Amino acid sequence: MSPEIHTFFESEALTLESTFYRSTTASKNQTIIYLHGGGLIWGNRNDLPIDYIHQFLDNGYHFLAIDYPLAPETSLPEIYTYAVKAIEWFCERFDDVLHLASNDYSLFGRSAGAYLALLLGNDHSLPCPPKRIISFYGYHSVQEPFYLSPSKQYQKYPAIPESLINQMIQKKPLVSGPLETRYAIYIYCRQTGKWLDMVMPRKSNRQSFSLSDDELKQLPPTFIAQSKTDQDVPYEIGVHLANTIAHTQFFSVEDLDHDFDKDPQNPVAVQAYEAVIEWLQS
């Protein structure tokens, strides 16, 4: 079945859409709402390999991938506001637009998308809260040292000049950021330790976009997956999430990169998604 495209927000400057896949296999009347990764700077809502989407569909879960605008053209507080709009749209239009029997859902994010999912899981203003959260190599705070200091891993790459970055930043909000044109911005941020300056220039807001341990303890049940050799988000972040959130399952990966699931043929990646399905059904 072909996916459905729905617009959940539109203004003169910005259009935000979602891609909806409907399960026709013994439906669980639950939806997986997906937020993509990319350091909030690159990526798009359709970046998840279709193999994984079919795993959810074949096990009875609908799948909804949502847009959010990218930094630095849009700052983190605004990005989060639009992520909230997507959830509000789903909660309110699940029946008349998507023709679903229930607005029960789980949030699924990878990397920066997992960060947004964790923030949303703590947002008590949502009209319908998530039942569960799936965090693949995510983080819960923008104030962790790994994002505030230059990365030795990224400093191995040729230095990206600031003048080039200034040329790459657009004047209008951007929703889809191809790796070929946007990854250099992220590399620059990690080489210089300026990621947070790029995504959230106003320092006064930073505490509001980081979850405390007390807030983590109140999150819904969460599935956490991360590689011990993650060069982007330290493995210790995943361990901390697993040890602090009240109800978790931790899928630990050996000797693979940050986005260990980029190849859907990798047996470890297949096992991770099988574990997610089993956990959802438990």
Side-chain angles (χ1 to χ4, degrees):
M1 179 181 293
S2 299
E4 305 167 19
I5 308 299
H6 298 280
T7 299
F8 65 84
F9 176 83
E10 192 168 15
S11 69
E12 188 173 324
L14 182 65
T15 298
L16 298 174
E17 296 180 326
S18 63
T19 304
F20 179 65
Y21 297 82
R22 188 182 308 277
S23 174
T24 58
T25 307
S27 175
K28 303 289 191 303
N29 288 324
Q30 296 181 34
T31 301
I32 306 298
I33 299 183
Y34 174 71
L35 299 106
H36 69 83
L40 302 176
I41 290 172
W42 56 281
N44 67 80
R45 72 177 188 272
N46 296 316
D47 75 340
L48 189 70
I50 193 67
D51 306 60
Y52 301 139
I53 295 174
H54 279 307
Q55 278 189 262
F56 289 113
L57 300 178
D58 292 346
N59 284 278
Y61 299 93
H62 309 300
F63 190 90
L64 180 72
I66 61 175
D67 278 339
Y68 58 82
L70 301 174
E73 289 82 358
T74 303
S75 67
L76 175 55
E78 294 176 275
I79 292 172
Y80 181 72
T81 296
Y82 288 115
V84 169
K85 288 183 184 296
I87 304 302
E88 291 175 340
W89 174 84
F90 173 80
C91 292
E92 296 164 2
R93 309 306 299 270
F94 73 96
D95 51 354
D96 63 334
V97 173
L98 298 178
H99 308 295
L100 299 177
S102 168
N103 62 6
D104 286 351
Y105 70 98
S106 295
L107 290 169
F108 172 28
R110 299 196 294 167
S111 198
Y115 163 67
L116 293 175
L118 292 168
L119 289 184
L120 290 165
N122 182 60
D123 194 331
H124 303 293
S125 73
L126 296 178
C128 59
K131 301 297 183 184
R132 298 190 181 201
I133 298 173
I134 304 164
S135 170
F136 271 49
Y137 35 92
Y139 49 93
H140 61 286
S141 170
V142 294
Q143 302 188 102
E144 295 295 323
F146 77 95
Y147 261 149
L148 299 177
S149 304
S151 164
K152 292 181 180 179
Q153 171 68 16
Y154 282 96
Q155 287 182 332
K156 296 177 182 177
Y157 302 167
I160 306 292
E162 184 178 3
S163 58
L164 175 61
I165 299 307
N166 291 335
Q167 294 175 25
M168 299 177 74
I169 297 173
Q170 305 296 307
K171 294 183 178 180
K172 293 184 178 180
L174 191 69
V175 171
S176 179
L179 182 70
E180 297 78 11
T181 58
R182 300 288 290 189
Y183 193 48
I185 301 176
Y186 183 71
I187 293 175
Y188 167 81
C189 291
R190 298 304 305 275
Q191 287 178 337
T192 60
K194 293 182 178 180
W195 175 80
L196 189 51
D197 294 328
M198 189 73 78
V199 305
M200 196 174 189
R202 291 187 60 184
K203 295 182 179 181
S204 60
N205 287 335
R206 292 177 179 180
Q207 185 62 44
S208 302
F209 287 86
S210 298
L211 298 181
S212 67
D213 284 359
D214 286 342
E215 289 171 324
L216 289 176
K217 291 174 183 177
Q218 301 302 315
L219 289 177
T222 302
F223 184 100
I224 300 155
Q226 190 164 10
S227 174
K228 289 183 177 179
T229 50
D230 191 325
Q231 300 271 17
D232 251 300
V233 177
Y235 181 74
E236 291 74 19
I237 299 290
V239 172
H240 181 74
L241 292 174
N243 290 338
T244 309
I245 300 171
H247 303 286
T248 62
Q249 181 165 327
F250 189 28
F251 187 91
S252 183
V253 175
E254 302 281 348
D255 301 323
L256 289 176
D257 294 336
H258 171 65
D259 51 345
F260 70 86
D261 60 335
K262 59 188 173 186
D263 178 9
Q265 303 305 314
N266 187 311
V268 175
V270 173
Q271 291 171 14
Y273 282 82
E274 289 175 346
V276 168
I277 297 299
E278 184 178 348
W279 174 77
L280 286 169
Q281 296 176 340
S282 65

